[in-house]
Amino acid sequence: MDKQSRRQFIRLAVRGTLFGGIALVTGNLILRQGEPLFGKNRKSGPTVWQLNPAKCIQCGRCATNCVKTPSAVKCTHAYSMCGYCNLCSGYFKPGTKTLDTGAEKQLCPVSAIKRTFVEDPFYEYTIDETLCIGCGKCVKGCGAFGNGSLQLQVRHPLCDNCNECSIARNCPAGAYRRVPLSDPYLLKGFGKEKV
Amino acid sequence: MRRKQVILFFLIIGWLSPPAVMAIQRFPKPEFESGYVVPDAQLPLPRAELLAWLDVTVLLLTLSLATYLVLKRRSRMGVFLLSLFSLAYFGFYRQGCVCSIGAIQNVTMALFSGSYTVPLTVLFFFLIPLVFTLLFGRTFCAAVCPFGTFQDLVSFRPVRMGAWLNAFLGMIPYLYLGLAVLFAATTTEFIICRYDPFVGIFRLNASFGMFLFAGLLLVSGVFIARPYCRFLCPYGVLLNWMSQFSWKHMTITPAECIQCRLCENVCPYDAIDFPQTKKNPAGQRKQVNQLILLSLLLPLLVLGGVWTGGKMHLTLAGVNSRVRLARMIQATPVSKDQPEIPEITAFRSSGVQQQQLMTEVATIEDDFLTGSRIFGGFVGLVFGITLIRLIRTPYRTDYLPNRGTCFSCAKCMDYCPVLKDKTNN
């Protein structure tokens, strides 16, 4: 065996080993995913980031830690849970006496909540997502004194779906996790159920 | 008026309750008489899964085309045009996520953590370039990776770096890879993504630090061609290993090398190995002695790395958020006057006992001890092997691309005056 063919043989052997290694890792990763590789119940589908409102403590970091400005996290209104209160604790600052839409009375720093009269004594509150920065101030107010129908959620069309979410890394409550793309929201209803 | 009283009552109750909020039905669902219909919550859907598979297909196609252009067509122009497309698609349209470099961490985390499953599309992003490189060399770096193509656009005045500088800076990717694997395996964080210099530019939106880092890389990239690829990229380490044993690899000359030396100064990445026909430039005896000394030193370097890694494990574990939380709790005295730390507030309201957290943290620190030792040993090994490779002078008669570090960019091909021998084909 001359030097050249010996080198080629070694190269072939190592190449085979590397192929084997790649196959082993792939096989391991695919096999551990369990039976359904395709279809609805598989685990191997793409994931997106979402935050669990039940864990969220409204620290305000969603507004500042997202790689996007303004943040891809927005306040989401689960209307079906809303009490349509006149004195909305997510809309008004604590201690507000006259309930009108004056900016100084609003909890929201960017006036992203629109208050519209429905019928006595009910008011509808709508989030203007183009304004909302995801600070969670209204969420805190609504959760503390109201029904908790205002909740922070990652709005997927705005989210870049980073491999590691920059807000998740800084979330003090560990509320963020990867969720399957087929079920991308985690709005909480009363108790434990989902909206 | 009654309603206001009810609200006032709940206001008082609310002030007394802990800060963590859950949806509680304090107010009944209103019964509207005006025919108002309660709207549904607006939940826009994420990017469709089909598009993730489209990305995989585009990766496969661009990689095949790059390989064809480099190995068969030997066309630098083609590679350049394709690289512009890749930069536009994977960089500016897909905004750099998910990329093959970052996918290292997903795969590692899936291998070590029981709860995380790597999505198939991400797995393919990790695998396809590796397999291609094992077959055809690093054509992925040449025209597909948006990072590489981006830096390629600015390398106007590349300077030669010298073997020793190249070798020593070339060890940084190994360190980076080791750390990335350590942090991903312990489900701590994805440092490759966190310190990714170019996504900020792709998204035209990043912190000042990120822009500064990217700017520095691009400016230094004018003189040091592809600084990220050569001296930082952790995926490049894996590709380097694959490429060294690849089945086919691009060559500078299409036929026989005539030693014309025209390609000597062409490669901006110092990836052309010059002929080495003198058997022992430094003296055979001296070289053999050095090699023996280094091979004896190698185990010592590895052991030293293991020892140092073991010493550093608590510092490294401090990156983990659970460990950080536990240390924060221990460092913060329980008192009412302290300003609230969100982490501690969240922990208190989560209902997890402190003891539970401490046990969890002890396990994580244990994992870090093992991991840091392996990491340290790996770094020692890389250091030793780098030294050995610097001293070794393998025999070569021709100008050859260095299979490990060559990006297969095809820049050198145009400088070779040898024409393809038509009579043989």
Side-chain angles (χ1 to χ4, degrees), chain B residues 108-379:
Chain B
T108 314
M109 197 161 95
L111 281 173
F112 286 90
S113 133
S115 57
Y116 177 70
T117 329
V118 57
L120 276 183
T121 45
V122 177
L123 184 62
F124 278 131
F125 258 83
F126 175 73
L127 282 178
I128 292 172
L130 283 185
V131 172
F132 261 82
T133 309
L134 196 48
L135 290 172
F136 306 111
R138 297 170 70 167
T139 48
F140 172 74
C141 302
V144 180
C145 177
F147 288 20
T149 55
F150 200 20
Q151 294 169 84
D152 230 11
L153 291 181
V154 299
S155 62
F156 298 115
R157 283 266 173 279
V159 292
R160 299 199 70 85
M161 304 265 296
W164 281 81
L165 195 56
N166 265 321
F168 276 92
L169 290 176
M171 283 193 295
I172 302 172
Y174 288 86
L175 263 163
Y176 199 8
L177 175 70
L179 275 180
V181 167
L182 175 66
F183 286 136
T186 50
T187 325
T188 298
E189 70 166 297
F190 282 8
I191 54 168
I192 300 176
C193 300
R194 185 170 180 185
Y195 299 108
D196 183 329
F198 297 119
V199 276
I201 295 184
F202 295 152
R203 293 170 180 166
L204 301 173
N205 193 350
S207 63
F208 175 71
M210 248 169 129
F211 272 136
L212 187 72
F213 185 29
L216 280 177
L217 275 178
L218 287 178
V219 169
S220 63
V222 174
F223 306 103
I224 307 162
R226 290 200 186 210
Y228 185 86
C229 307
R230 287 156 79 194
F231 307 129
L232 276 170
C233 182
Y235 195 60
V237 171
L238 303 181
L239 293 177
N240 182 318
W241 292 344
M242 298 298 149
S243 183
Q244 284 186 38
F245 303 100
S246 65
W247 174 51
K248 293 248 155 76
H249 194 278
M250 67 78 101
T251 51
I252 302 170
T253 170
E256 196 105 319
C257 178
I258 54 167
Q259 316 273 333
C260 65
R261 299 177 56 197
L262 283 175
C263 62
E264 235 174 35
N265 291 314
V266 170
C267 184
Y269 320 115
D270 299 339
I272 295 180
D273 286 334
F274 292 2
Q276 193 82 255
T277 41
K278 273 196 224 133
K279 264 240 146 177
N280 36 15
Q284 179 110 19
R285 179 115 224 128
K286 196 175 156 204
Q287 200 186 350
V288 168
N289 281 346
Q290 279 175 333
L291 281 179
I292 291 173
L293 191 71
L294 276 178
S295 345
L296 289 176
L297 203 64
L298 193 60
L300 285 180
L301 282 172
V302 173
L303 281 178
V306 170
W307 184 81
T308 322
K311 285 279 158 202
M312 276 166 44
H313 84 278
L314 285 178
T315 321
L316 289 171
V319 178
N320 187 292
S321 61
R322 297 302 279 178
V323 178
R324 244 182 8 232
L325 172 66
R327 289 180 189 170
M328 216 183 279
I329 290 174
Q330 280 170 335
T332 318
V334 186
S335 74
K336 291 269 177 230
D337 325 318
Q338 288 280 323
E340 236 174 56
I341 300 172
E343 274 84 357
I344 297 181
T345 314
F347 176 71
R348 298 257 154 81
S349 62
S350 70
V352 181
Q353 293 298 311
Q354 195 165 333
Q355 196 51 46
Q356 234 170 307
L357 176 71
M358 292 305 160
T359 338
E360 191 190 330
V361 164
T363 328
I364 297 174
E365 285 181 340
D366 253 11
D367 289 346
F368 262 96
L369 180 61
T370 323
S372 310
R373 281 182 174 155
I374 297 174
F375 167 63
F378 173 71
V379 172

Side-chain angles (χ1 to χ4, degrees), chain B residues 26-133:
Chain B
R26 296 191 174 102
F27 301 101
K29 203 172 174 174
E31 281 162 25
F32 297 106
E33 286 155 10
S34 60
Y36 171 82
V37 184
V38 176
D40 285 329
Q42 292 295 306
L43 300 175
L45 289 176
R47 193 170 178 262
E49 178 174 1
L50 204 64
L51 289 173
W53 286 103
L54 174 73
D55 294 343
V56 176
T57 318
V58 173
L59 174 73
L60 206 58
L61 288 178
T62 44
L63 207 43
S64 311
L65 188 56
T67 308
Y68 167 75
L69 287 171
V70 173
L71 292 181
K72 279 275 169 207
R73 286 294 295 273
R74 299 175 56 82
S75 157
R76 170 63 200 163
M77 198 48 174
V79 171
F80 176 71
L81 291 177
L82 181 62
S83 74
L84 287 185
F85 168 78
S86 301
L87 181 61
Y89 186 86
F90 294 112
F92 288 97
Y93 166 62
R94 286 299 301 125
Q95 314 217 301
C97 241
V98 61
C99 75
S100 304
I101 309 174
I104 298 172
Q105 302 161 119
N106 301 61
V107 169
T108 314
M109 197 161 95
L111 281 173
F112 286 90
S113 133
S115 57
Y116 177 70
T117 329
V118 57
L120 276 183
T121 45
V122 177
L123 184 62
F124 278 131
F125 258 83
F126 175 73
L127 282 178
I128 292 172
L130 283 185
V131 172
F132 261 82
T133 309

Side-chain angles (χ1 to χ4, degrees), chain A residues 20-104:
Chain A
I22 291 177
L24 211 69
V25 169
T26 318
N28 183 319
L29 285 175
I30 287 181
L31 284 181
R32 71 165 62 191
Q33 302 189 333
E35 314 98 61
L37 259 189
F38 298 96
K40 262 212 147 172
N41 294 326
R42 83 222 141 97
K43 288 187 190 163
S44 56
T47 56
V48 287
W49 288 96
Q50 193 49 275
L51 79 119
N52 183 352
K55 286 187 176 176
C56 172
I57 61 159
Q58 296 90 37
C59 63
R61 289 190 196 169
C62 289
T64 52
N65 277 304
C66 185
V67 295
K68 307 264 279 208
T69 353
S71 172
V73 175
K74 304 282 176 205
C75 175
T76 302
H77 197 180
Y79 294 96
S80 60
M81 296 165 66
C82 181
Y84 288 81
C85 312
N86 184 7
L87 172 53
C88 171
S89 54
Y91 185 83
F92 291 111
K93 278 185 182 158
T96 306
K97 296 213 174 63
T98 43
L99 305 182
D100 58 44
T101 55
E104 78 282 4

